[in-house]
Amino acid sequence: MVLAELGTKISNALKNLNKVDVVNEETLKTVLNEIVTALLQADVNVHQVKKMRDAVNLQFKVQSSQGGDARNLIRQLVVTELSKMLEAEKKPYQPKKGKTNVVMFVGLQGSGKTTTCTKYAYYYQKKGWRTSLVCCDTFRAGAFDQLKQNATKVRIPFYGSYSETDPVAIAEEGVSRFKKEGFEMIIVDTSGRHKQEAELFDEMKQVAATIKPDEIVFVMDSSIGQACYDQASAFRKAVDVGSVIITKLDGHAKGGGALSAVAATESPIIFIGTGEHFDDFESFEAASFIKRLLGMGDISKIVDIVKEAVPLEDQPKLLEKITSGNFTLRDMQSQYKNILKIGSFSQFLSFLPGVGTSLMGKTNDKENIAKVKKFICIMDSMTAAELDGQAQITPSRITRIAKGSGSFEIEVNLMLEEFKRLKMMIEKMSKAKLGGKGGDLASLARNPQQMMGKLKNIVDPRMLQQMGGMDGLMDMMKQVGKMEGMGGMGGMGGLGNLGNLGNLGNLGDMMKMLGGGKK
Ligand code: GDP
Ligand code: MG
């Protein structure tokens, strides 16, 4: 995703703050210029960029007079204002389980509506919702066939017509049928046009007036650059857009333009599309996104992912495994299965950092998934004792396991290496709780100072230097800890202590650091 480049540029600009001796308005100007250039290069709307710059300048004037660390102030202001840029005041519609939710999708032709409808449907279906799809695109030839194929692939009931030409009639009929049948989620795909034109908007308005959707989702292709803002505004004027989904963020799109859709529609981005597959779909939350963009870690996202992927009753167990260091091949296997359940490796990356960093790197998500599948298959050929760490895995066993799973011995070895790496990391992580009583990971996380004390012994000094020494690391953590308040830490529910890790910054980075400690 090219947006990552934007993130790197912004965080580099912020890092440069450490290089100057005195921080004043001149420094701020330089930093802001760099950030503004980066945003504009990424196609973010000019007016929004200006608004953000003015806000940072103003806040700096107001707040710097109150004393405090000017560097931190600038960092904080930039993050806050960037998040604001992405956050709409309006909260997105929260579909309610157990009742009928009608969600209508709108957008230009080719923006990814039909694909996104299916992704959205699949997302809710995986959560156990009774989900259905209605195709009222009678404009594009083959539209119904496309939706039918998609729906069939993910096994979701659909409605459409080959003979009816009136989209309003189809929408009405489809929605009322699925309502009668008690579907919880009825997703209505509409037609697009190549460009914004009156005919399309009229059709959209009529459909909306007839089915009275609970939510209208505007789907926008991220690759259209600066045109995003105007397009989004036009749709917003025509219908009551409630939220936005940005597609094709996997391609070469600079992505920044799409972010302007928030301002144009005054509606939040709820998901992003990152590929053509139905699970190339990520939920989106502004503050998390900005932090991730700037490499500041994002525990809330990890928590969400774990909540989504790991059955509720297993969550405490998993956390205990992770914090106790008592991690077996069987645990790794079940984590891998969870990865497959989410269908995206990169999403899981931060949660199982050891596995993540080594498997990710240059290869892409799909290759990683293939690798995970292979490893699961290899583990399936192992005995229970081997999986539970109660039996030695001898060379002759490796040969057998390779045969049994239809893989090469080298692949079995790779998997075992991976396991060793992960286990080592988790053990190091658990050693961080040297403090005995109250020294467990969660309590430590509540107290960064104490945490840092413990970490000092295990962190790779080179790494530490890179991060601006102990103080830099400390600052970073404090900042992330503070920022958690900005959003995203809600709903910790079943995860118990993990919530407290908010102060820790990115568990992934932390683990990476720990891993780098001894080589
Ligand atoms: P519609 O005309 O708005 O319904 O758009 P479609 O759903 O038919 O999508 C148009 C094209 O964009 C198709 O080839 C999709 O596979 C592709 N597409 C949709 N979303 C994404 C995405 O997130 N990433 C990529 N790479 N392609 C996408
Ligand atoms: Mg379509």
Side-chain angles (χ1 to χ4, degrees):
M1 187 192 305
V2 186
L3 266 182
E5 214 174 284
L6 171 64
T8 311
K9 282 184 192 155
I10 298 175
S11 56
N12 280 343
L14 291 176
K15 267 188 211 142
N16 286 343
L17 279 172
N18 289 333
K19 292 187 185 150
V20 294
D21 296 327
V22 193
V23 176
N24 50 27
E25 287 198 18
E26 205 47 44
T27 329
L28 176 65
K29 203 170 153 192
T30 318
V31 170
L32 276 180
N33 276 345
E34 274 174 64
I35 295 177
V36 163
T37 313
L39 287 169
L40 291 176
Q41 280 170 351
D43 278 342
V44 180
N45 179 268
V46 184
H47 299 290
Q48 277 185 277
V49 175
K50 187 175 173 301
K51 215 167 107 186
M52 182 244 163
R53 187 190 58 194
D54 293 348
V56 173
N57 270 326
L58 177 71
Q59 285 303 318
F60 185 78
K61 273 204 189 86
V62 175
Q63 294 186 36
S64 61
S65 57
Q66 298 164 3
D69 182 3
R71 281 187 190 85
N72 273 348
L73 178 62
I74 294 180
R75 282 192 203 110
Q76 227 164 307
L77 290 175
V78 168
V79 174
T80 309
E81 293 306 325
L82 279 175
S83 302
K84 262 194 208 158
M85 201 163 94
L86 270 183
E87 260 162 10
E89 270 171 40
K90 198 158 59 179
K91 292 281 160 262
Y93 172 70
Q94 292 293 342
K96 293 166 201 76
K97 199 159 191 307
K99 81 169 263 286
T100 305
N101 301 274
V102 180
V103 181
M104 174 176 165
F105 279 64
V106 300
L108 284 191
Q109 186 163 319
S111 62
K113 269 186 316 300
T114 304
T115 313
T116 307
C117 279
T118 318
K119 290 177 178 181
Y120 188 86
Y122 185 49
Y123 174 86
Y124 278 101
Q125 190 208 36
K126 276 196 290 188
K127 284 171 164 265
W129 293 51
R130 289 198 67 211
T131 305
S132 58
L133 282 159
V134 177
C135 170
C136 62
D137 180 357
T138 51
F139 181 77
R140 180 150 114 182
F144 181 37
D145 278 326
Q146 185 195 358
L147 183 117
K148 211 163 137 180
Q149 271 173 18
N150 288 0
T152 310
K153 258 190 215 154
V154 289
R155 297 166 184 272
I156 287 175
F158 57 88
Y159 178 83
S161 167
Y162 287 113
S163 50
E164 177 60 68
T165 51
D166 177 12
V168 180
I170 300 180
E172 190 170 22
E173 175 64 21
V175 170
S176 84
R177 270 196 204 190
F178 285 128
K179 255 188 192 165
K180 266 191 219 122
E181 290 171 30
F183 278 86
E184 295 167 300
M185 180 60 82
I186 305 172
I187 297 155
V188 182
D189 185 18
T190 62
S191 72
R193 298 290 188 274
H194 288 300
K195 53 183 178 40
Q196 293 132 239
E197 50 191 58
E199 196 194 335
L200 165 66
F201 291 141
D202 285 344
E203 182 181 315
M204 261 167 33
K205 281 182 200 166
Q206 281 173 32
V207 172
T210 308
I211 61 172
K212 301 194 178 57
D214 297 294
E215 171 77 329
I216 297 181
V217 177
F218 170 55
V219 177
M220 190 163 72
D221 179 343
S222 62
S223 61
I224 63 170
Q226 284 281 350
C228 285
Y229 187 88
D230 291 338
Q231 191 189 104
S233 310
F235 273 86
R236 175 68 191 86
K237 273 188 205 121
V239 283
D240 189 12
V241 170
S243 51
V244 180
I245 296 181
I246 310 281
T247 63
K248 308 186 194 178
L249 273 168
D250 51 311
H252 295 294
K254 294 184 199 162
L259 304 182
S260 312
V262 173
T265 57
E266 295 168 337
S267 307
I269 300 172
I270 49 169
F271 288 99
I272 56 175
T274 53
E276 295 190 50
H277 292 269
F278 298 133
D279 41 24
D280 294 330
F281 198 51
E282 293 180 28
S283 46
F284 184 92
E285 197 255 319
S288 292
F289 177 78
I290 294 291
K291 278 184 270 167
R292 199 158 50 129
L293 195 64
L294 301 183
M296 284 169 148
D298 182 5
I299 203 85
S300 62
K301 179 106 180 167
I302 301 168
V303 171
D304 280 351
I305 289 168
V306 174
K307 272 169 67 182
E308 221 171 87
V310 183
L312 202 66
E313 61 275 13
D314 291 347
Q315 289 174 7
K317 250 192 304 185
L318 168 62
L319 282 172
E320 197 217 274
K321 290 278 185 194
I322 285 183
T323 47
S324 73
N326 183 19
F327 196 77
T328 63
L329 272 165
R330 194 186 292 281
D331 297 324
M332 180 159 101
Q333 189 186 31
S334 69
Q335 286 326 301
Y336 277 165
K337 287 184 179 155
N338 287 330
I339 294 175
L340 290 189
K341 244 188 269 167
I342 323 181
S344 160
F345 201 92
S346 51
Q347 284 194 24
F348 216 87
L349 167 72
S350 330
F351 190 67
L352 275 186
V355 195
T357 41
S358 50
L359 275 182
M360 287 292 285
K362 339 170 220 13
T363 54
N364 66 30
D365 223 37
K366 296 212 170 72
E367 286 170 45
N368 286 320
I369 290 289
K371 205 161 170 180
V372 164
K373 280 189 182 149
K374 178 99 230 171
F375 284 1
I376 291 179
C377 177
I378 293 172
M379 286 186 265
D380 280 339
S381 291
M382 299 172 86
T383 64
E386 283 165 347
L387 286 176
D388 292 327
Q390 289 155 0
Q392 277 278 315
I393 302 167
T394 58
S396 70
R397 279 297 300 152
I398 290 181
T399 315
R400 282 290 310 148
I401 294 166
K403 247 197 206 127
S405 57
S407 35
F408 296 106
E409 282 176 31
I410 188 162
E411 289 174 311
V412 179
N413 281 320
L414 265 175
M415 186 278 294
L416 291 172
E417 284 288 305
E418 203 57 62
F419 171 67
K420 257 189 244 161
R421 246 181 78 89
L422 180 60
K423 190 169 169 61
M424 194 183 77
M425 261 176 219
I426 285 172
E427 267 161 18
K428 273 190 187 162
M429 193 73 189
S430 66
K431 279 194 196 117
K433 62 172 190 178
L434 288 172
K437 207 173 167 212
D440 63 291
L441 203 58
S443 330
L444 283 176
R446 250 175 269 140
N447 184 346
Q449 200 99 35
Q450 197 189 352
M451 181 85 188
M452 297 319 296
K454 308 256 181 246
L455 282 178
K456 222 180 219 162
N457 307 320
I458 31 180
V459 176
D460 185 340
R462 281 163 307 175
M463 171 75 90
L464 196 58
Q465 203 179 357
Q466 252 182 15
M467 304 181 75
M470 226 47 206
D471 289 344
L473 189 53
M474 185 82 195
D475 273 356
M476 193 180 85
M477 290 184 133
K478 271 197 215 144
Q479 221 180 340
V480 174
K482 257 188 240 144
M483 282 192 320
E484 291 303 340
M486 282 169 19
M489 288 301 286
M492 263 347 139
L495 272 163
N497 283 342
L498 191 55
N500 298 321
L501 287 173
N503 296 329
L504 226 168
N506 186 325
L507 187 58
D509 286 345
M510 195 59 113
M511 292 268 228
K512 259 185 254 165
M513 259 166 22
L514 297 176
K518 225 191 310 175
K519 271 258 158 73

